Every structure is written in structure tokens, then in C-alpha cells.
């Protein structure tokens, strides 16, 4: 049974913010970080600071928790994790790169590119485009040639002992919570966390590439622009470090 | 009393399309054109063709009619025209130009820039940015230096006897229904309809500039980037040609 919410017509214009969390037996994963980003996103949209979010809807459940906040609404919902998400975490993703037509260094002054806004039509469209081209996902490349992010994930890569991701402020992208958390754990695995801009040809030489997000955790890039990539022994190690199990 | 709609959480992610129509005593203005664009927008989002839209909600009423169409929902609502819209139609708008950070010639293959999608957060953000800078609205300029459109309007200008607007396909922008209708009427006013790309300095030399949209009709640009512009005698003539009166 699909959940229903009572909204105003204005709530349907994408003019709000949201967060998706991995709901674990221990509770919503990285809850303070997600609430922090919800507040930062809200500020970028000139929304009032979010009220206290009641997460008891998730008590005793596992799956996905979504927090939606608009000018008239705060909604917390819980659902099962889509089968596709579990499959991508387990089997990896075939990824195509595509120019976003956007200059990372010339965002407009009102840019919401660093906010997780509800205006997600282009994100879905990019993933549908990938599916039409026998791929699972896209990495967006700026007009300057820099890898930015994926429609619903951050890009993380391993280069020697460096575990890298794109610097959100410099790239004008969403600050990925899973990516930041993973990099904070890197030293415990003998890796050095690095934030740096990367071009697509540089990325292609990485020892491993992942898309990171709250529900997928890590989805290893097993093919980039049609070139197959060997599976990395780091994928199960890093997934375990993030506390992911196969079952949810 | 604000209208309420029952939706699914997925309906709140901006992944649908909409139209706003001027509801007149004679019925919804330019209804076939708006329904046509709704269908074109839906196709760009890979939505099924919209079902027949029942517009009886607008029978005998004037104001604004909004049609919203998502993967699970078709909603038709009627509301009063906001006071700000009537004011902008009557008094004109102070406009700032701003770079959109986007190359008109390098849209991504899944681009929705030609669709009237529900993902309107950036459109609202651009207008809030204008308001913070003592202006009413923004015209977006591409990285190549071409004027594109306004967040909720098309740009139309008069240069001698040429009534001009930006070619939607070439610019990768929404095809403005009011602008197209106005240009179709131009010959009856002794003007020649022209579609062409324009740079900001060229636009600034126009005899008159307007933002056109369904509810505002024409809003004359009375100030562009801080430079005052004389009122054009064409504004009341063109408004009358479009059938706008002061009262709604």
C-alpha cells in the first residue's frame, strides 16, 4: 500500500528539500549529518530552519527513511529499499559520463546545486537516459572537463593509497554524506583521504571507482563509458567498514 | 482556504509537468496550446501522454488555472491571480540579467530545459535573488552571452517594426505560449514577427522589452540592470491585443 500525504498544490513545484537515510536496526544511519544537511539545504532555499524531526516512524524498522521539508510540510516516511539499490550495491554499476553543459566555476548566484532540493526531474531523467543506453548510472562532467557527481550519488575513487572524492564547494555540488563518512574512516584502513578535482581521463586510471549514497553505500563502477573494470578487493572491505550487510 | 491534494511521496520530487493558464470569462485562454505543451513536456519526462484534462473546475470563474501532471496524478486547480502579477502587468518590472552558468549549445542529452517540469526550485530562487537586489525578475544569459528567458516568462522585444523573441529550439528553452501567440498577432499591428538570438547589449538597445507569460500577459521591462527605460506606447496596445483587462 503506497503511503499518501495531504499537500498544497505549491508543494508540488519542487520548492523544498529532502534527505534519504539508511534505516538500520541501530536507528537511522548518520542521522545528525543528514539533519545538518537538511538545514543547510533549507537555508539555500530561504526556507525557515527545519523544526525538530520526529524519526519515531522508523523505530524498530529497517529500510529507507525519507525526510521531506517544504514551506508548508514536514514529512517523514519509511519504505523498503528498492531491489535495484541492493543489486547495484552487490553487483556494481555500469556508468556513462556525460557533459552537464554547466561550468562548475560559473554557477549563478542563486544556484541550488549544493542543496538537496526536491527539484529532481533532471536527476531522474539522467538515470533514464543511462538506462536507454544499457547503463545504470551517469557521472556528470562540467564544461571545464571535471567530474562532478552522479544524479543521486557522489563519486569516490582509489588511487594508490589515496581514497579520493570531489571537493563539494569547489565543484559546486552536493556534499555527499556517505562519501565524507567513508573518507573519515579511510585512515583506519591505511588509506589517505583526499579531496580533489579530477578529469574523466584521470578518473579512468583509478584503481577503483565507486558511487556512494546513503542506501547503496558503495556501488562499484564495473564499466565506465563501455570499458570494463576489474572488481576491486576494496569494495567488500569498505562496505563492511560502512556497516552494510547484504540483507537490507 | 488553501486547496489540499492527496499525493504519494514520489509526487513531491518535481518529477512531473504543469501548465498555468489565464482563466477568462470566455474560458481558459489558449487552452489547446497549453494542453499541447503539457503533452510535449510529458514526453520529455518519459511520462505517458496526459489523459483528457477536465477543465470544468474553471467554469464560470476567472483567475489562474493550474494543471499538474505526474506519474500518479492529474490535478486541475483554480486560484485567484496573485496581486503581484497584476501589479507587474500594470507597472512593469525591474529586471537584472544574470549568467545561468549554462551553455545553450551544450545541453545534456536528457535536458529538460524545454519542458515545463515541476522542478521549479531554481526558478523561484532566481526570483528571490532578484528581490534581494531590489528587482522584480531576472533574465538568464547563457555562457555564450545570449539572452535565454526569465524564470517564469519569455523575453520579447521591439526593434523598429520587428517584434522579436528568442527561438526556443536554438536556445534550449521553454516555448513560450504567450510569446508565440503575441508574435502571431504582430502583423495585425503592422509589426513583423522575428525569432532570433540576442545578446544582452543588443537587447538593451531595443525600443521596448517585455516579459511574457500566461498570467502577466506582458510585463514591460522598466529597468534593465539598473538603467531606467521609458515606457513604451506599445504596452497598452499589445495588452489589449492579447485581451487583457485591468481587473483580472
Amino acid at each position: 500500500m503506497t503511503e499518501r500525504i495531504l499537500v498544497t498544490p505549491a508543494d508540488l513545484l519542487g520548492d523544498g528539500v529532502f534527505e534519504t537515510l539508511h534505516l538500520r536496526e541501530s536507528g537511522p544511519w548518520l542521522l545528525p549529518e543528514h539533519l545538518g544537511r537538511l538545514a543547510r539545504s533549507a537555508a539555500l532555499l530561504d526556507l525557515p530552519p527545519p523544526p525538530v524531526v520526529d524519526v519515531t516512524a522508523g523505530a524498530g524498522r529497517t529500510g529507507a527513511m525519507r525526510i521531506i521539508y517544504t514551506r508548508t510540510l514536514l514529512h517523514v516516511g519509511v519504505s523498503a529499499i528498492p531491489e535495484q539499490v541492493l543489486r547495484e550495491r552487490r553487483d556494481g554499476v555500469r556508468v556513462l559520463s556525460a557533459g552537464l553543459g554547466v561550468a562548475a566555476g560559473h554557477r549563478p548566484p542563486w544556484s541550488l546545486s549544493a542543496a538537496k532540493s526536491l527539484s529532481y526531474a533532471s536527476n531522474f531523467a539522467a538515470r533514464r537516459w543511462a538506462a536507454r543506453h544499457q547503463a545504470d548510472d551517469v557521472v556528470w562532467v562540467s564544461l571545464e572537463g571535471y567530474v562532478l557527481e552522479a544524479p543521486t550519488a557522489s563519486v569516490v575513487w582509489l588511487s594508490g593509497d589515496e581514497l579520493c572524492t570531489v571537493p563539494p564547494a569547489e565543484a559546486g555540488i552536493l556534499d555527499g554524506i556517505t562519501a565524507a563518512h567513508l573518507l573519515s574512516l579511510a585512515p583506519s584502513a591505511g588509506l589517505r583521504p583526499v579531496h580533489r578535482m579530477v578529469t574523466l581521463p584521470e578518473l579512468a586510471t583509478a584503481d577503483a571507482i565507486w558511487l556512494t549514497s546513503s542506501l547503496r553505500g558503495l556501488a562499484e563502477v564495473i564499466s565506465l563509458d563501455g570499458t570494463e573494470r576489474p572488481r576491486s578487493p576494496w569494495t567488500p572491505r569498505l562496505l563492511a567498514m560502512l556497516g552494510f550487510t547484504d540483507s537490507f
Side-chain angles (χ1 to χ4, degrees), chain A:
Chain A
M1 182 64 194
T2 306
E3 186 185 13
R4 296 270 169 171
I5 320 173
L6 207 56
V7 304
T8 67
D11 286 324
L12 294 172
L13 288 168
D15 190 31
V17 298
F18 76 106
E19 288 292 324
T20 305
L21 290 81
H22 191 228
L23 197 51
R24 299 178 167 184
E25 285 171 12
S26 54
W29 187 44
L30 301 174
L31 178 62
E33 290 82 354
H34 281 282
L35 293 179
R37 189 170 67 181
L38 187 77
R40 289 194 298 281
S41 294
L44 284 168
L45 270 77
D46 298 322
L47 283 158
V52 173
V53 177
D54 178 359
V55 296
T56 53
R61 300 173 67 179
T62 57
M65 169 177 278
R66 182 162 287 167
I67 304 170
I68 291 175
Y69 176 50
T70 73
R71 290 175 209 280
T72 61
L73 174 84
L74 177 70
H75 174 79
V76 180
V78 173
S79 59
I81 294 183
E83 183 51 42
Q84 185 181 2
V85 168
L86 299 173
R87 191 173 62 241
E88 293 186 357
R89 191 198 297 157
R90 186 183 64 229
D91 299 338
V93 282
R94 294 159 301 164
V95 167
L96 298 176
S97 66
L100 194 55
V102 162
H106 292 88
R107 303 276 186 183
W110 60 82
S111 174
L112 303 180
S113 66
K116 198 169 176 73
S117 90
L118 291 168
S119 285
Y120 244 48
S122 287
N123 306 57
F124 293 128
R127 278 178 59 95
R128 285 195 303 270
W129 175 82
R132 279 199 299 276
H133 292 82
Q134 291 73 52
D136 303 297
D137 219 326
V138 185
V139 290
W140 288 336
V141 179
S142 78
L143 281 171
E144 300 96 336
Y146 291 116
V147 172
L148 297 174
E149 59 191 335
T152 65
S154 312
V155 178
V156 172
W157 66 99
L158 183 70
S159 181
D161 68 346
E162 292 184 345
L163 191 63
C164 309
T165 194
V166 177
E170 188 175 348
I173 59 173
L174 193 70
D175 55 319
I177 285 173
T178 307
H181 183 64
L182 182 65
L183 260 67
S184 77
L185 300 176
S188 69
L191 301 174
R192 289 196 298 136
V194 175
H195 283 82
R196 66 180 175 86
M197 302 298 280
V198 68
T199 64
L200 193 65
E202 286 171 333
L203 182 67
T205 69
D207 299 314
I209 311 171
W210 299 276
L211 301 186
T212 66
S213 56
S214 300
L215 297 185
R216 284 187 285 190
L218 303 174
E220 186 174 353
V221 177
I222 57 171
S223 156
L224 179 60
D225 288 330
T227 301
E228 302 293 311
R229 302 179 52 85
R231 298 298 303 251
S232 168
W234 281 97
T235 300
R237 292 177 63 179
L238 297 182
L239 273 172
M241 225 165 71
L242 292 178
F244 280 94
T245 68
D246 282 344
S247 56
F248 66 89

